[in-house]
């Protein structure tokens, strides 16, 4: 679409608060109070063990938040609430993550902060939590983000096995916190097996998965070349091998030169003759995203520039053994609450946990792929768990500046069997 200038004017959207059938088992709302995204940034996503591995999740969250506040021309002292997602608590100060992000980003000491874990939906969940607080009249300007350093996920010993003495000949048994976080013990299955289950249910082939993975890589490459990610990117300074400061401003995981021939030779990981390989699953990565929300009153009072209006959100549960289908009911629910249908949507982002999972959602919803993940997804960029929702929101919100679309939808599946979606509207 044609390039657009950011405008300080915005439309009013009086929408009634509605209830939805089955609300006992789902959560979501249409925004009767006008709530706007006024800034949204994310770091480049570093590869597993890559250039960002030495930065904690807190460090990454601070970088994204400071960049968002600066880009939006927002005085940090105006921030009155902070929500930050984090799943695998890999940093020493992980228990304090949201609070430390708030204080290190310049928020007042009086500003409360909450760290959230809705697994892969955490970044989206922070948007919902901040919006709900604004609807209650308890917040005017909020930071909502997510951060993850998966490279630093600890190898750990159970305190009961080591604190009270180690028996003769037993030694220490270490567990991989990263693998534990990617395995649902209730369902008795790793996340990759849930994708295999969806592939079987929706008759998805290995070739379809590999072709989808190539699409993710190539569309990211074209978007990068065209400067599509420039608006959302918060460059990160790191120490190089020779001690010199280097600037990382590009996602490290993508391989846009990948070929179908190479991908087809990879062995499946979870099942003999299965679908999921290292190349058609999301990358294990490090990164963070941060979104600043403001009420209509705060926008007017402080002269802020809205990027998008938060129209609705929706979160729901689904069968844990096919957890990847979660975006389908979540997208339907979020659109229904906003009084919209898929025909009204100009852009859809479904977090690409696995190619089989994303394709299953596309088939279930009968999506127009010309509107779906058009700049690549997590198969190319990577999936730092709590950061992915924030990345998607940052991307879709900033895309309103580049294109003339009116409705954008972001969504993610969630380990354990959930789905979440957020609907953004042009401001």
């Amino acid at each position: 679409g044609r390039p657009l200038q950011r405008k300080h004017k915005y439309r009013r959207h009086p929408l009634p608060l509605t209830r939805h059938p089955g609300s006992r088992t789902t959560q979501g709302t249409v925004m009767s109070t006008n709530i706007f995204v006024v800034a949204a940034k994310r770091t480049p996503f570093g590869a597993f063990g890559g250039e960002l591995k030495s930065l904690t999740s807190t460090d990454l969250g601070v970088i994204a938040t400071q960049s968002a506040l600066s880009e939006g021309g927002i005085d940090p002292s105006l921030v009155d609430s902070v929500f930050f997602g984090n799943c695998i608590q890999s940093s020493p100060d992980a228990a304090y993550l949201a609070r430390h992000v708030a204080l290190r980003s310049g928020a007042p000491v009086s500003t409360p902060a909450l760290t959230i874990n809705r697994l892969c939906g955490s970044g989206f969940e922070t948007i919902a939590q901040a919006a709900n607080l604004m609807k209650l009249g308890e917040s005017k300007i909020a930071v909502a983000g997510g951060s993850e350093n998966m490279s630093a996920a600890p190898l750990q010993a159970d305190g009961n096995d080591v604190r009270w003495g180690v028996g003769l000949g037993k030694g220490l048994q270490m567990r991989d916190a990263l693998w534990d976080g990617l395995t649902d013990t209730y369902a008795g299955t790793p996340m990759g097996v849930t994708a295999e289950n969806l592939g079987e249910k929706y008759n998805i082939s290995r070739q379809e998965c590999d072709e989808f993975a190539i699409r993710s890589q190539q569309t990211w490459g074209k978007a990068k070349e065209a400067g599509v990610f420039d608006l959302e990117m918060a460059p990160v300074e790191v120490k190089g091998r020779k001690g010199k400061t280097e600037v990382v401003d590009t996602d490290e995981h993508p391989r846009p030169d990948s070929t179908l021939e190479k991908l087809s030779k990879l062995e499946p990981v979870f099942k003999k003759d299965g679908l999921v390989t290292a190349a058609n699953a999301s990358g294990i990565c490090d990164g963070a995203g941060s979104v600043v929300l403001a009420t209509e009153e705060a926008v007017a009072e402080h002269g802020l520039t809205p990027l998008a209006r938060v129209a609705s959100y929706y979160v729901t549960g689904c069968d844990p053994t096919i957890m990847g289908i979660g975006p389908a009911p979540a997208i339907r629910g979020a659109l229904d609450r906003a009084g919209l249908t898929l025909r009204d949507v100009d852009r859809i982002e479904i977090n690409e946990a696995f190619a089989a999972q994303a394709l299953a959602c596309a088939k279930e919803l009968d999506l127009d792929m010309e509107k779906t993940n058009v700049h690549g997804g997590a198969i190319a960029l990577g999936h730092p768990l709590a950061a992915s929702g924030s990345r998607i929101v940052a991307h879709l919100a900033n895309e309103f500046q580049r294109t003339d679309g009116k409705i954008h939808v972001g969504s993610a599946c969630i380990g354990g069997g959930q789905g979440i979606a957020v609907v953004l509207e042009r401001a």
Side-chain angles (χ1 to χ4, degrees):
R2 56 185 177 83
L4 298 175
Q5 297 293 324
R6 291 180 68 176
K7 297 181 179 180
H8 288 269
K9 294 182 179 179
Y10 51 87
R11 303 196 312 273
R12 292 181 178 271
H13 305 263
L15 294 174
L17 183 62
T18 60
R19 293 189 178 275
H20 190 277
S23 59
R24 290 185 178 180
T25 56
T26 58
Q27 298 176 20
T29 191
V30 59
M31 293 300 143
S32 56
T33 300
N34 285 325
I35 297 165
F36 297 97
V37 175
V38 293
K41 288 285 191 175
R42 57 100 174 180
T43 69
F45 283 2
F48 191 52
E51 291 185 284
L52 304 186
K53 67 179 181 181
S54 298
L55 293 169
T56 69
S57 295
T58 308
D59 293 334
L60 294 167
V62 170
I63 291 168
T65 300
Q66 289 179 336
S67 179
L69 292 169
S70 176
E71 179 70 16
I74 302 159
D75 185 343
S77 68
L78 298 175
V79 175
D80 56 30
S81 57
V82 173
F83 297 90
F84 237 83
N86 185 237
C87 298
I88 297 175
Q89 296 190 308
S90 59
S91 61
D93 67 343
Y96 304 86
L97 188 141
R99 179 62 171 163
H100 285 183
V101 168
L103 294 175
R104 289 175 58 185
S105 298
V109 171
S110 59
T111 296
L114 177 64
T115 304
I116 288 173
N117 183 358
R118 199 187 282 277
L119 299 172
C120 306
S122 298
F124 288 118
E125 181 64 25
T126 64
I127 301 290
Q129 292 294 328
N132 282 339
L133 205 62
M134 290 177 172
K135 285 177 58 188
L136 292 171
E138 297 182 7
S139 176
K140 293 183 178 180
I141 297 179
V143 168
S147 186
E148 209 78 54
N149 184 323
M150 301 180 79
S151 296
L155 294 172
Q156 57 195 19
D158 189 315
N160 285 321
D161 293 338
V162 298
R163 293 187 186 280
W164 326 122
V166 179
L168 182 64
K170 288 187 176 181
L172 294 177
Q173 300 298 316
M174 308 294 288
R175 294 189 63 87
D176 185 348
L178 178 56
W179 183 253
D180 286 346
L182 301 176
T183 303
D184 181 358
T185 56
Y186 177 85
T189 178
M191 294 300 99
V193 174
T194 70
E196 294 285 0
N197 293 341
L198 280 173
E200 183 176 346
K201 179 179 176 67
Y202 285 87
N203 297 313
I204 296 166
S205 69
R206 167 67 185 274
Q207 182 171 340
E208 285 179 287
C209 291
D210 288 345
E211 288 174 348
F212 185 82
I214 291 294
R215 174 186 185 267
S216 184
Q217 298 284 0
Q218 292 180 346
T219 50
W220 177 91
K222 292 177 182 178
K224 171 60 182 174
E225 186 175 349
V228 168
F229 304 117
D230 292 351
L231 289 172
E232 69 198 60
M233 194 63 68
V236 178
E237 292 186 353
V238 298
K239 291 292 184 182
R241 293 182 179 179
K242 296 182 179 180
K244 294 183 178 180
T245 299
E246 299 177 359
V247 176
V248 181
D249 60 4
T250 302
D251 299 309
E252 194 178 5
H253 184 267
R255 297 183 179 182
D257 296 330
S258 299
T259 65
L260 189 61
E261 180 183 6
K262 291 180 179 178
L263 264 62
S264 65
K265 294 178 181 179
L266 297 176
E267 293 292 327
V269 177
F270 297 97
K271 183 179 178 182
K272 184 179 180 181
D273 299 323
L275 306 177
V276 180
T277 70
N280 63 34
S282 56
I284 297 173
C285 287
D286 311 322
S290 190
V291 179
V292 184
L293 302 178
T295 62
E296 184 172 351
E297 293 75 16
V299 167
E301 180 180 355
H302 301 290
L304 304 180
T305 305
L307 299 176
R309 173 181 174 268
V310 180
S312 69
Y313 79 89
Y314 197 87
V315 60
T316 186
C318 63
D319 182 347
T321 65
I322 52 170
M323 67 90 202
I325 204 63
I331 288 171
R332 288 189 179 114
L335 288 173
D336 182 53
R337 288 191 184 275
L340 301 167
T341 70
L342 280 167
R343 291 189 297 274
D344 300 310
V345 178
D346 299 293
R347 288 280 302 281
I348 294 180
E349 291 279 333
I350 293 179
N351 190 49
E352 297 170 357
F354 303 92
Q357 163 265 329
L359 287 169
C361 291
K363 289 189 175 185
E364 174 64 27
L365 294 170
D366 192 22
L367 293 182
D368 180 352
M369 297 307 289
E370 293 298 317
K371 300 178 180 180
T372 305
N373 292 18
V374 299
H375 298 140
I379 290 174
L381 289 103
H383 176 26
L385 305 179
S388 288
S390 304
R391 173 193 71 80
I392 290 172
V393 171
H395 182 62
L396 291 176
N398 280 291
E399 276 293 277
F400 284 118
Q401 297 183 69
R402 290 193 337 104
T403 68
D404 55 6
K406 294 181 179 179
I407 302 294
H408 293 173
V409 179
S411 64
C413 59
I414 301 170
Q418 297 183 83
I420 191 167
V422 170
V423 178
L424 300 178
E425 184 178 32
R426 176 175 292 280

